[in-house]
Each structure stands twice: as structure tokens, then as C-alpha cells.
Amino acid sequence: MAKLPRGIVALGFVSLFMDVSSEMIHGLLPLFVVGTLGASAAMLGLIEGLGEATASAVKLFSGMLSDRMGRRKPLAVAGYALSALTKPFFAMAGVPGVVLAARVADRVGKGIRGAPRDALVADLVPEAQRGAAYGLRQSMDTVGAFVGPLAAIALMAAFAGNVRLVFWLAIIPALAAVAILVIYVREPEAQAAPAPRPRLDRASLAALGKGFWLVVGIGAALTLARFSEAFLILRASEAGLAMALAPMVLVLMNVVYALAAWPLGALSDHIGRRGLLTVGFGVLVLADLVLGFAPGLWGVAVGVALWGLHMALTQGLLAAEVAAAAPSRLRATAFGVFNLVTGVVLLAANGLAGVLWAEFGAAATFSTGAGCAALGLAGLMLVRRPKKVPGPS
């Protein structure tokens, strides 16, 4: 960590605290929506899918705006602040529609900050350290993603299952994330006045290059096979896990994710990313099959752990691939395009997962995910990466 710039470490803590806040809510939200508010699994799929798709659409425009401004931090601050302000609305929700609106608004904040923040990581470190930099940020983000559910469990026990109070308290770490970003992150001076200013047009999309579009295709294939973690929680509940312990699903997944993402990212700086991404697809196939057919809570636990491992093998590496493939003047736009495409695919995947679950049950849902991951794995093994054509950055 000492070899990385202070701004990278600070961004890691920003992600950590915001994820503590988000996962304090997200770890309880599926059962709150389905159990307390009486919504269906299909409605849960809509909430999750629409929220993520909205974030992805906003990332496109925030990325383009960041490249035109030549600034990353102002948009990152605005996005984190908006997400912090949405937290109380989950506590006040009396019907699923309010949760949907709050989730979408929260994801708009995620969309505003996502592409500029990811581009800022690449701006702060050289190519040879990007796997480690993205891996560190992802690992710290994921530490927050299991600390949050643990905090939710402790608070549920301390306050006799008062889920709404837990949602209220989630605003505290969110505000801490905004404060760290404002005080400790400085973007490089070189980003102050880029020229010429890029536009979101056919020429700019073409300038992203074939290598970038190959990364988009890989990310889309992976996303189609990987729906929301809310369905992991429903699967554990179906296997007998109590509502008060539901966040343990996210704890287990994110412990594996956090422990593996940084070392795997650093490893990719030395051995390359394509092989590790291929392994990630294979692990997702196995995770889906275990979750669909292994009996009992122990079977679910193994599937969830494999799910976390596949996330560590893919998410930070895909971000590093986007940064490497796109010209620096279009880097935030590239992250926006990547996230828009994968977000639309995620909306479809969550919608399909919700319908399959409601009509045919968990086995059909996870079997479909395994089939999509297997097709993506076959495609990844068959396609060859195009050589990067030298050009202006």
C-alpha cells in the first residue's frame, strides 16, 4: 500500500465507508421488501435491476462530462453526496414504490461518481500499477461490503430487530465517505485543461478502439450470467437462514472478495489479465451450479463463497482492462460506455432471474446463470485480443 499514491488509498477508504452504509441497508433490503412490505420476487428483481441500470446510464453521461471538464473529483463528490442523502428514504418507506424510488436515486449517485472515480484511479497511477490500484480500491470497497452487513446484524440484535432504525443509522458512514473524499483526494493537475474536448459522438466511440469494445463484450457476457446478490439472500432464506442473519450472506461473499481482489489484481500486473478472467468465468459457472442444486445452508455457503471469488477474479481486472484499452482523453467516457452496456444487461438479467424464480424456483434461476456463464467462457476462450494500434492519447 505504501507504494501507491495517497489518493488511491483515500479513494479506497471512501469506497469502504460508502459500502458500509449501502450494505447495512442492502443486507436487509430483500427480506424487508418481500417480507415486511409484501412485494414479490419479481418486484425485487425490478428494484435491483432498474437501480443498477439507472446507475449505468448515468455513468455514461458523467463520464463524458468528466472528460469534457477535464475534472474527476467534483462529479465524484456530487455522486457520493447524493447517495448519502438517499439513505433516510429507505427507513421511511411504507410501500415498495418508495424503496424503488430511493434505490434508483441512490444508484443515480453511484452513476454520477462511478466513471469519474474509476478514471481518476487510472490518472493517479502508471499502467504497471493499475492492477494493484484497482484491486486495492475494490478490496477496500469489499471490506465495507462485509463490515456493513455485520454492523446490520449487530444493530438488529441491539435494537430488537428494528430494521428501520438500522436504515437511519446507515447515513453516518455515508457522510464519512464524502468527508474523506473532499479532504484527502487531490486529482492530478494535468486533468485541469484537456484539449480538444471530447464529445459523445460516432467519432469518439470509434476512437475507443476495437480492444475496448472487446472488453465491453466480455463484461456484458459476464453480467448476463451474474444477477443481483439479492437472489443469494433469497436462496439462503429458502434454505432456512433467519431474517436477522440474512446479511451474513453478503459478509461471506465479501470476505472472500476482499481477501482475493487485491492480490489477484497485483498478480495480473505480472502475468496478464486474460487468464485470470477466464478462470473467473469458470468459477461463476461452478457457483451457480452449487447454489442451484447443493442442499442446505452449507451448500449455499459454498456457492456464495465461490461467487465472491469470481467477483475478485473479474471486477477489478475488467476496470484495469478498460483503463488500458481506452485513450486517456476518453477514459471516463469509456468507463461510462462500459457501465451503460453492462447495466442494461444487468437489468435484463435481474428481470429474467426474478421471473424464473417466481415461476420455476431457485434451481431454474441459477441453472440459467450457469448456462450464460458457460457460453461467455466459451466465447472468451475462442476470441483473440486485437493488437492495440498506437495512436494519440
Side-chain angles (χ1 to χ4, degrees):
M1 189 180 294
K3 295 180 180 179
L4 293 170
R6 187 181 74 163
I8 295 293
V9 178
L11 283 171
F13 278 104
V14 171
S15 294
L16 188 156
F17 280 105
M18 184 57 73
D19 245 43
V20 168
S21 174
S22 295
E23 298 304 331
M24 284 175 65
I25 294 173
H26 195 215
L28 298 170
L29 195 62
L31 300 185
F32 176 71
V33 170
V34 174
T36 304
L37 301 183
S40 65
M43 180 64 179
L44 178 63
L46 175 64
I47 290 173
E48 293 297 316
L50 186 58
E52 294 301 329
T54 301
S56 299
V58 175
K59 283 178 183 178
L60 173 62
F61 296 102
S62 69
M64 178 189 66
L65 181 59
S66 174
D67 284 335
R68 286 186 60 80
M69 293 170 57
R71 300 288 305 280
R72 316 298 192 197
K73 183 175 175 179
L75 290 171
V77 171
Y80 278 105
L82 177 59
S83 290
L85 294 175
T86 64
K87 306 305 182 189
F89 291 93
F90 292 99
M92 296 186 289
V95 294
V98 175
V99 174
L100 175 61
R103 181 71 169 160
V104 169
D106 175 60
R107 299 297 88 179
V108 168
K110 180 179 180 181
I112 291 172
R113 70 183 184 252
R117 180 205 59 211
D118 289 342
L120 180 57
V121 172
D123 293 343
L124 288 169
V125 294
E127 166 69 21
Q129 287 185 298
R130 284 181 186 157
Y134 282 108
L136 174 63
R137 195 207 67 79
Q138 200 69 61
S139 283
M140 295 184 73
D141 179 276
T142 310
V143 168
F146 69 75
V147 171
L150 287 175
I153 292 170
L155 291 169
M156 287 283 282
F159 297 108
N162 189 341
V163 63
R164 295 183 186 273
L165 179 58
V166 175
F167 290 172
W168 278 110
L169 293 174
I171 195 173
I172 297 173
L175 293 176
V178 176
I180 293 170
L181 177 59
V182 171
I183 296 170
Y184 292 107
V185 177
R186 299 286 183 269
E187 61 182 314
E189 291 295 330
Q191 296 299 313
R197 291 184 176 183
R199 297 179 180 275
L200 186 61
D201 53 20
R202 184 177 299 178
S204 293
L205 293 178
L208 291 172
K210 292 182 179 179
F212 166 76
W213 290 107
L214 175 59
V215 176
V216 171
I218 294 170
L222 185 70
T223 303
L224 184 62
R226 191 196 73 242
F227 32 82
S228 169
E229 287 80 15
F231 291 97
L232 305 185
I233 296 174
L234 286 184
R235 178 69 181 91
S237 176
E238 187 181 75
L241 189 66
M243 179 179 180
L245 296 177
M248 286 302 297
V249 173
L250 298 181
V251 171
L252 174 58
M253 184 195 80
N254 287 306
V255 164
V256 176
Y257 188 0
L259 289 175
W262 186 12
L264 286 172
L267 178 63
S268 74
D269 289 333
H270 298 283
I271 69 171
R273 302 176 190 121
R274 180 59 62 87
L276 292 175
L277 284 171
T278 302
V279 174
F281 271 90
V283 171
L284 179 56
V285 173
L286 183 58
D288 276 324
L289 292 175
V290 171
L291 286 164
F293 298 102
L297 282 174
W298 281 110
V300 173
V302 172
V304 169
L306 288 169
W307 194 281
L309 179 59
H310 113 265
M311 294 286 283
L313 281 162
T314 58
Q315 299 308 291
L317 301 187
L318 283 171
E321 287 279 272
V322 171
S328 60
R329 68 183 183 87
L330 294 172
R331 189 169 286 145
T333 301
F335 276 108
V337 171
F338 178 83
N339 285 291
L340 173 64
V341 173
T342 55
V344 171
V345 173
L346 183 60
L347 174 60
N350 277 327
L352 178 62
V355 171
L356 287 172
W357 193 292
E359 295 295 327
F360 304 107
T365 302
F366 288 110
S367 295
T368 302
C372 291
L375 290 174
L377 174 60
L380 181 60
M381 294 177 70
L382 289 173
V383 72
R384 292 183 178 182
R385 177 197 297 274
K387 293 182 180 180
K388 191 173 181 180
V389 179
S393 62

